[in-house]
């Protein structure tokens, strides 16, 4: 008795698989309601607190403290979602065996990363929209009317999300387990916020801290977002009296490339105890 061989079944295209994975990651993200609420609420709480504690305007600029903090907290939100949350999430996936199981599936490995970055993009877009709405309604932030300003926002946002995400993927291999990931990854992020102009104006920091912060992308993200929302008046608050858009683009681009190299050379699909 002969049997008819089963017909070959064509697998979905890599793009279709990546989009499906992105949908899965986004759904999983929003099912963690406590984490979603915390992610959205944290920059808003900081904005309300700092606006209440440090009222008034920056001397000689007309820029209110609330407006200054809004720009910095947008950069912090992008970095926090891409670097901190993504790094902790991937470390957890590695620790509970999710990554190990995905390797055994007929799925392009890039689809996993595309899904993760897509979820970061969705989260940051919503986070920025909510923060801007509150700043406009309650703290007098004026949204730019020039197309050029929004184009600047777009490239700073895209470069920032991309660089933060690949760095989050790269740093996910540092924790020894998923349980230690929060402590290992959150500590450098918290330090960066204090030295990158998020909580303390960059002009009030000592030179050695400014030089250290200038190595990392968060300082430049915040500077790029200040150029969009504070305009020419806010340039006086920068150390050089300029927003240095070319330098912002070069530094963020360099971190994106460097982060990609780190991902390719150091990413592990298995936990340390799996060999």
């Amino acid at each position: 008795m002969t049997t008819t061989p089963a017909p070959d079944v064509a697998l979905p295209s890599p793009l279709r698989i990546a989009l499906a994975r992105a949908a899965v990651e986004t759904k999983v993200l929003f099912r963690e309601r406590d984490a979603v609420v915390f992610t959205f609420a944290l920059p808003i709480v900081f904005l309300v607190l700092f606006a209440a504690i440090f009222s008034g305007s920056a001397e000689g600029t007309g820029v209110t403290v609330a407006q200054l903090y809004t720009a910095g907290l947008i950069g912090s939100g992008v970095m926090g979602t891409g670097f901190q949350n993504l790094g902790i999430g991937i470390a957890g996936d590695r620790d509970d065996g999710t990554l190990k199981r995905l390797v055994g599936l007929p799925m392009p490995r890039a689809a996993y990363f595309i899904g993760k970055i897509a979820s970061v993009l969705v989260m940051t877009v919503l986070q920025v929209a909510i923060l801007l709405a509150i700043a406009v309604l309650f703290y007098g932030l004026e949204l730019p009317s020039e197309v050029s300003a929004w184009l600047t926002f777009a490239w700073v946002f895209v470069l920032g999300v991309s660089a933060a995400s690949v760095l989050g993927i790269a740093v996910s291999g540092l924790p020894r387990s998923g349980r230690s990931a929060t402590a290992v990854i959150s500590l450098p992020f918290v330090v960066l916020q204090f030295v990158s102009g998020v909580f303390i104006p960059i002009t009030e920091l000592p030179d050695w801290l400014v030089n250290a912060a200038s190595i990392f992308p968060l300082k430049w993200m915040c500077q790029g977002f200040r150029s969009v929302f504070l305009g020419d008046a806010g340039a006086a608050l920068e150390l050089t009296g300029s927003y240095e858009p070319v330098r912002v683009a070069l530094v963020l681009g360099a971190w994106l490339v460097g982060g990609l190299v780190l991902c390719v050379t150091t990413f592990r699909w298995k936990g340390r105890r799996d060999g």
Side-chain angles (χ1 to χ4, degrees):
M1 181 177 178
T2 59
T3 58
T4 304
D8 293 334
V9 179
L11 292 174
S13 67
L15 177 59
R16 185 175 175 183
I17 295 174
L19 292 176
R21 187 69 203 176
V24 169
E25 292 290 347
T26 304
K27 289 177 182 177
V28 169
L29 177 67
F30 280 94
R31 284 173 183 167
E32 299 290 339
R33 295 183 181 179
D34 51 348
V36 172
V37 170
F38 180 81
T39 301
F40 285 153
L42 189 60
I44 296 170
V45 169
F46 279 136
L47 176 61
V48 172
L49 285 176
F50 287 129
I53 296 171
F54 305 106
S55 59
S57 303
E59 185 176 355
T61 64
V63 175
T64 67
V65 173
Q67 292 168 333
L68 181 63
Y69 276 117
T70 298
L73 288 169
I74 290 174
S76 174
V78 170
M79 192 73 186
T81 306
F83 175 77
Q84 179 179 251
N85 294 5
L86 185 57
I88 293 171
I90 294 177
D93 285 350
R94 182 183 293 111
D95 194 53
D96 65 17
T98 298
L99 292 184
K100 189 176 179 180
R101 291 191 294 271
L102 288 175
V103 171
L105 298 176
M107 179 187 77
R109 296 187 178 187
Y112 172 77
F113 301 112
I114 292 172
K116 286 292 188 183
I117 294 173
S119 68
V120 169
L121 183 61
V122 170
M123 183 68 81
T124 50
V125 167
L126 293 175
Q127 187 182 66
V128 169
I130 294 171
L131 190 62
L132 286 178
I134 290 175
V136 169
L137 291 173
F138 299 104
Y139 297 109
L141 178 70
E142 295 184 6
L143 298 180
S145 57
E146 301 86 1
V147 174
S148 59
W150 287 111
L151 289 176
T152 298
F153 174 83
W155 68 255
V156 173
F157 182 79
V158 170
L159 275 178
V161 169
S162 302
S165 296
V166 295
L167 289 173
I169 294 170
V171 80
S172 68
L174 286 181
R176 298 187 64 85
S177 69
R179 292 185 296 274
S180 65
T182 299
V184 172
I185 296 175
S186 295
L187 177 59
F189 175 60
V190 170
V191 173
L192 277 179
Q193 289 180 94
F194 278 96
V195 302
S196 299
V198 176
F199 299 145
I200 302 171
I202 200 75
T203 52
E204 297 183 15
L205 297 172
D207 290 342
W208 69 273
L209 274 182
V210 173
N211 293 333
S214 297
I215 300 173
F216 300 99
L218 182 55
K219 185 257 186 190
W220 301 100
M221 263 192 273
C222 295
Q223 190 165 309
F225 288 127
R226 285 196 295 269
S227 75
V228 174
F229 297 108
L230 304 187
D232 294 338
L237 301 174
E238 304 298 329
L239 290 171
T240 62
S242 168
Y243 293 116
E244 303 175 283
V246 174
R247 197 172 180 187
V248 170
L250 289 175
V251 174
L252 293 180
W255 273 103
L256 173 57
V257 173
L260 286 171
V261 172
L262 284 173
C263 290
V264 171
T265 56
T266 66
F267 188 81
R268 295 180 293 105
W269 290 90
K270 297 180 181 180
R272 298 179 191 270
R273 59 175 173 263
D274 295 324

